[in-house]
Amino acid sequence: MATKILASSSHSFENECKEIHESRGRWNHLIQALVTRTQLECRRIRETYKDMYGEDLITLLQKSSLRNQPGVSPKTCAALSLWMLHPHERDAIVAREALLQDNDTNHQALVEIFVGRKSSHIALIKQAYLSKYKTQLDQDIINIEPPHPYQKILVALSTSHKAHQADVNQHTAKCDARRLYETGEGSPGAIDEGTVLEIFTKRSIPHLKLTFSCYKHIYGHDYTKSITDVNSGEFEDALKKILFASIKGMTADRGAITRVMVSRSETEMDEIQRVFKEKYGIELRETICNSIPSGDYRDFLLALANKTV
């Protein structure tokens, strides 16, 4: 089944949709075929399937996941559903799920969205969120209960129109590093939240990385260490976690592997693999094989890892 789909040269995708329709309930046979398609092709397959059969493929995948059918991994169905969505629609859904988690808001998922997307993409996410859930994303973050220090940083990032431009300036980075020092470990008391939020909302992620590099060069240690050394309050703790997650790429969120690989597979997978090998001394594919049980979910992640930009 999968081989046939891969071999098809038709741009109408009608043959693929027919084969998918005939294999309903056996989604695991189609994982390799669909994941090797580009996300644009997947969206066209979804549209063609809807035109031919009046049903939405993603809805069918989600139903299969809920029914927990034999031979179908709910985790894989969920991951494949995300893969087939338009990027800003996917991020809107991820944001909503992060806000509605049973035990606590998944701040890490929200951080990934706001520090890893361009401002133009953030605007599209907000539009998709409003259209789908009839509520404003920014307002839902503000209304997080119980209140959390992450809110200030997330709201600042989400409302910024400059934070995702690629501008990087050595002189400005050095000035920002000195401002962070003077309003942080270089002064008594807690960190000046206003200064931190201002820099976060007006600088790109590449520029922030340069700022933290300048900070280490000037003061001899990482900015994250300075946050640890000061009298940490809730804001400082939240800031420290966001810096580790967004700048250093560290997270304890197990769901992050699906989100990151699905969202970055067509733009940054080569770079992700290079940095992963450099940082941990092992190939990403090998780590997936060692840490995730064999099955369709692992096959899905390996297929994403094998994609080249």
Side-chain angles (χ1 to χ4, degrees):
M1 184 73 65
T3 304
K4 289 183 181 179
I5 293 180
L6 286 173
S8 172
S9 60
S10 170
H11 294 291
S12 67
F13 301 109
E14 291 181 359
N15 290 337
E16 289 91 330
C17 292
K18 182 179 179 180
E19 293 171 6
I20 291 171
H21 187 71
E22 292 174 351
S23 69
R24 284 180 58 170
R26 303 192 306 277
W27 298 105
N28 51 316
H29 295 299
L30 299 168
I31 292 168
Q32 292 295 325
L34 290 174
V35 80
T36 53
R37 292 289 193 182
T38 66
Q39 290 180 320
L40 176 59
E41 288 172 333
C42 282
R43 290 195 293 275
R44 289 187 61 192
I45 289 173
R46 179 188 177 191
E47 292 167 359
T48 303
Y49 191 95
K50 180 71 177 291
D51 290 340
M52 291 175 66
Y53 300 106
E55 296 178 294
D56 183 67
L57 265 179
I58 292 179
T59 301
L60 291 175
L61 280 167
Q62 292 169 342
K63 287 181 179 177
S64 295
S65 173
L66 292 174
R67 286 196 295 266
N68 198 19
Q69 295 176 347
V72 178
S73 163
K75 186 181 291 187
T76 305
C77 285
L80 193 55
S81 296
L82 286 177
W83 169 251
M84 297 185 72
L85 287 168
H86 194 284
H88 61 260
E89 185 182 5
R90 178 196 310 129
D91 284 339
I93 291 173
V94 169
R96 183 68 170 182
E97 291 176 350
L99 288 165
L100 296 181
Q101 277 203 175
D102 292 338
N103 298 323
D104 192 13
T105 301
N106 187 345
H107 297 97
Q108 169 59 29
L110 295 171
V111 169
E112 288 170 16
I113 291 173
F114 291 127
V115 303
R117 311 291 187 263
K118 294 181 179 179
S119 55
S120 57
H121 185 83
I122 295 293
L124 292 174
I125 294 172
K126 292 178 181 180
Q127 290 176 14
Y129 189 95
L130 177 61
S131 175
K132 189 173 183 65
Y133 303 112
K134 312 305 179 188
T135 181
Q136 299 280 355
L137 176 55
D138 292 346
Q139 192 60 49
D140 283 351
I141 294 174
I142 292 172
N143 292 338
I144 291 175
E145 291 291 344
H148 195 284
Y150 268 107
Q151 286 166 277
K152 294 179 180 179
I153 304 174
L154 288 171
V155 170
L157 290 173
S158 70
T159 56
S160 170
H161 296 289
K162 297 182 179 180
H164 306 284
Q165 294 177 356
D167 298 334
V168 176
N169 182 282
Q170 182 79 27
H171 174 72
T172 305
K174 289 181 180 179
C175 291
D176 287 343
R178 291 191 175 93
R179 289 182 66 200
L180 289 173
Y181 176 82
E182 291 167 359
T183 59
E185 64 176 316
S187 65
I191 289 174
D192 183 344
E193 296 180 13
T195 298
V196 173
L197 293 177
E198 178 192 346
I199 291 175
F200 264 53
T201 56
K202 292 185 177 181
R203 305 290 185 254
S204 66
I205 297 302
H207 182 92
L208 285 175
K209 289 182 178 180
L210 179 59
T211 297
F212 298 136
S213 176
C214 290
Y215 193 102
K216 184 174 183 178
H217 178 75
I218 296 171
Y219 301 108
H221 55 262
D222 289 332
Y223 179 58
T224 49
K225 181 179 184 299
S226 74
I227 300 173
T228 304
D229 289 344
V230 300
N231 296 324
S232 292
E234 289 186 332
F235 180 82
E236 287 80 6
D237 290 339
L239 176 61
K240 180 170 59 179
K241 291 176 183 178
I242 283 183
L243 288 174
F244 271 113
S246 61
I247 306 301
K248 292 183 172 294
M250 300 174 64
T251 175
D253 180 4
R254 296 290 293 178
I257 186 169
T258 298
R259 295 194 306 270
V260 171
M261 292 190 68
V262 165
S263 64
R264 308 295 177 87
S265 61
E266 291 195 331
T267 57
E268 297 175 307
M269 187 53 68
D270 292 342
E271 180 68 7
I272 288 173
Q273 300 228 39
R274 183 191 67 78
V275 174
F276 191 94
K277 176 67 179 295
E278 183 180 280
K279 186 175 182 64
Y280 299 107
I282 186 173
E283 296 287 348
L284 175 60
R285 289 181 290 268
E286 186 177 348
T287 299
I288 291 172
C289 289
N290 292 339
S291 60
I292 297 176
S294 61
D296 48 17
Y297 178 62
R298 186 171 78 176
D299 292 343
F300 174 80
L301 294 179
L302 286 174
L304 288 182
N306 286 329
K307 294 178 76 69
T308 56
V309 179

